[in-house]
Amino acid sequence: MRKLIKAEFYKLEKLPSVRMIFLFTCMAAMLRGFSPYPGYQMYIIALVPELFDAVLISVFTAAFLCAEFSNRTFGNAVLSGVSRQNIFFAKLAVYFPGLLVLVLLPLAVSVCAATIRNGFGADWNVIVWDIIEKLLFYILYRFFMASLAIFAATLIQNSIGMLGTGVAGIYLITLIKKPMEHPLTQITLLFTMIEISIFISLSTFIFAKREL
């Protein structure tokens, strides 16, 4: 299992498409930071899930996960004697840390750029816990969006089809849920974690049964 995870980290570092995604994300965040808003207001704005987030997560999933179906990498790994569960869990063990960096990068870059230009605009000591609380839900909800993308990837097993379905599905569900418009409670966090678990479990089941 450890060797599989190391191999997946190597893929993540070396894939040109993944490097381009990170570069594009960083550049887009820098441009966003050139706004009239101070850093704290930019932080609040950046927390709201948008179409950009749906596209970003879907493209990352297509590049790192869905491409493995197209080039038969998963099938070859199974033929070499590695269990399907180990293959999938090793992929997810690298996918989520990579995604974490990907979703935190634009947030950090845009807020830093706005703060440098316009100041932070709030008393850090007063709002620090609010920032941490909102950040945790920001990460958790992006993981929920990612679980939908993973489910679409294992179900469709085609990068182009997954991109269309993933972007449309994630964005539509986000519009319906409107996660940032509701008070953040323990029930909200728990329910989001349950949703993530359901979609990951369904994806694991499909991966174990479908032809690779």
Side-chain angles (χ1 to χ4, degrees), residues 98-110 135 138-139 142:
L99 180 71
L100 180 62
V101 175
L102 185 64
V103 298
L104 288 179
L105 181 64
L107 180 65
V109 171
S110 59
L135 180 63
Y138 169 85
I139 294 169
R142 267 58 181 187

Side-chain angles (χ1 to χ4, degrees), residues 3-178:
K3 290 182 179 179
L4 286 174
I5 293 174
K6 283 184 178 180
E8 292 299 335
F9 269 116
Y10 182 80
K11 287 180 191 176
L12 183 65
E13 291 174 2
K14 298 301 180 182
L15 273 174
S17 55
V18 172
R19 290 184 178 183
M20 289 298 295
I21 293 168
F22 275 86
L23 179 62
F24 171 78
T25 303
C26 190
M27 291 175 63
M30 288 180 68
L31 291 174
R32 189 176 194 176
F34 284 92
S35 70
Y37 302 116
Y40 180 64
Q41 193 171 351
M42 175 57 66
Y43 175 76
I44 298 300
I45 292 170
L47 292 176
V48 179
E50 298 176 337
L51 180 60
F52 176 80
D53 299 286
V55 173
L56 181 66
I57 291 170
S58 297
V59 170
F60 178 69
T61 306
F64 185 61
L65 180 61
C66 215
E68 303 281 77
F69 292 109
S70 302
N71 58 28
R72 309 293 298 177
T73 305
F74 286 140
N76 292 335
V78 170
L79 290 175
S80 67
V82 184
S83 73
R84 289 179 178 234
Q85 272 195 338
N86 285 347
I87 294 169
F88 195 59
F89 289 153
K91 178 65 74 173
L92 296 185
V94 177
Y95 173 92
F96 279 106
L99 180 71
L100 180 62
V101 175
L102 185 64
V103 298
L104 288 179
L105 181 64
L107 180 65
V109 171
S110 59
V111 170
C112 286
T115 301
I116 290 170
R117 295 185 72 251
N118 307 310
F120 189 63
D123 185 349
W124 174 263
N125 294 325
V126 174
I127 61 171
V128 60
W129 290 113
D130 182 63
I131 288 175
I132 293 171
E133 185 181 72
K134 284 182 169 61
L135 180 63
L136 289 174
F137 185 66
Y138 169 85
I139 294 169
L140 190 62
Y141 193 78
R142 267 58 181 187
F143 278 10
F144 165 70
M145 295 168 80
S147 70
L148 290 172
I150 292 168
F151 177 69
T154 54
L155 190 64
I156 299 172
Q157 298 188 359
N158 176 275
S159 295
I160 296 174
M162 178 268 150
L163 275 173
T165 306
V167 171
I170 291 170
Y171 189 57
L172 181 61
I173 290 174
T174 299
L175 287 177
I176 295 170
K177 288 171 70 72
K178 297 179 180 178

